[in-house]
Amino acid sequence: MLWSPQKQYFNEPFDTEADLEKSIQEVKDELFGNNRIYLEVKKKIGKQGKTRNIPDAYLIDLTSKKEPMLYVVENELEKHDPLKHIAVQILEFSLSFETTPQKVKTIIKDVLRNDKSATKLCAEYATENGFENIDYLLEKIIYRKDSFNALVIIDELPDELETILLSRFKFPVEIITLQRFSSNEGERLYQF
């Protein structure tokens, strides 16, 4: 519970991943900040006959002037098995990403084309930081050595999952917890 003398807010768990994703869209500007672009797109990556899967989203991180980054995002609920479900998916994302970087780039370019504010932010970043254009910026992000980064957004982080994600993979994994609370009057608060 979140409490103040005026009002109490009670935990309102997410029923489904779609419910969590809707809340991410609602708080994304505050959750990620000004120089990060959350692109919710679900398209399959990976080579035919090899590991293939569908990330929940991508996050373009433009906070560093020298090292822009791309995160493959997995939105998840704590009730799913940390090892068999979540960790395996992150590993499979890394394999799919590494075998089809051009497909990842195409997916991101297509989404950016339809998001004028995201396109503007990427173009301004490219100009200000010595990248020729958005295409070249994406090339530098996606094709550099060790370019795979994962982001897990989850409602609650079990200790076992934290251990797996932060110490067992050879690539960076960021974790954000997002919880929702509501008052008896239906007002909502988010904690992240």
Side-chain angles (χ1 to χ4, degrees):
M1 174 195 308
L2 299 176
W3 184 91
S4 78
Q6 293 77 31
K7 198 168 286 191
Q8 293 80 44
Y9 292 85
F10 301 92
N11 191 16
E12 183 185 355
F14 300 107
D15 295 323
T16 63
E17 282 183 33
D19 192 19
L20 172 63
E21 290 168 348
K22 183 178 174 190
S23 292
I24 292 169
Q25 284 295 333
E26 190 174 333
V27 301
K28 69 181 180 181
D29 292 340
E30 289 79 17
L31 185 64
F32 302 117
N34 294 334
N35 294 316
R36 292 187 178 116
I37 303 165
Y38 183 76
L39 303 171
E40 189 174 77
V41 56
K42 295 177 187 269
K43 293 204 174 191
K44 190 176 286 186
I45 60 173
K47 279 189 177 177
Q48 189 76 29
K50 302 270 184 191
T51 303
R52 300 177 79 195
N53 32 22
I54 304 171
D56 291 319
Y58 297 90
L59 182 75
I60 300 173
D61 185 346
L62 304 175
T63 55
S64 169
K65 294 185 182 295
K66 295 185 182 192
E67 285 200 45
M69 298 173 73
L70 177 69
Y71 291 86
V72 176
V73 179
E74 171 63 8
N75 299 321
E76 203 50 76
L77 300 177
E78 178 266 338
K79 64 186 173 189
H80 293 155
D81 185 283
L83 183 58
K84 293 178 183 168
H85 184 78
I86 302 170
V88 168
Q89 266 192 301
I90 298 298
L91 180 59
E92 289 178 349
F93 289 157
S94 74
L95 297 171
S96 298
F97 182 92
E98 289 170 6
T99 60
T100 55
Q102 187 58 41
K103 181 155 183 92
V104 172
K105 181 182 170 194
T106 300
I107 290 168
I108 291 170
K109 280 180 69 172
D110 289 347
V111 176
L112 284 175
R113 270 191 215 113
N114 296 320
D115 187 334
K116 292 189 186 319
S117 65
T119 300
K120 182 181 177 198
L121 183 61
C122 285
E124 288 171 356
Y125 178 89
T127 301
E128 291 169 8
N129 295 288
F131 297 95
E132 294 172 28
N133 52 40
I134 293 174
D135 192 65
Y136 185 68
L137 172 63
L138 293 176
E139 291 273 329
K140 287 296 194 180
I141 293 172
I142 295 169
Y143 285 94
R144 74 172 207 263
K145 187 178 188 241
D146 300 327
S147 62
F148 181 79
N149 300 285
L151 171 62
V152 176
I153 304 172
I154 191 164
D155 56 346
E156 194 171 321
L157 182 61
D159 291 339
E160 181 184 21
L161 179 60
E162 184 175 22
T163 300
I164 292 167
L165 295 178
L166 297 180
S167 66
R168 300 295 189 254
F169 291 125
K170 292 186 177 189
F171 49 80
V173 179
E174 299 290 328
I175 303 167
I176 296 175
T177 57
L178 176 63
Q179 295 180 320
R180 179 176 61 185
F181 296 84
S182 62
S183 70
N184 289 331
E185 294 81 22
E187 295 174 314
R188 283 197 171 135
L189 292 177
Y190 291 95
Q191 180 177 331
F192 46 87

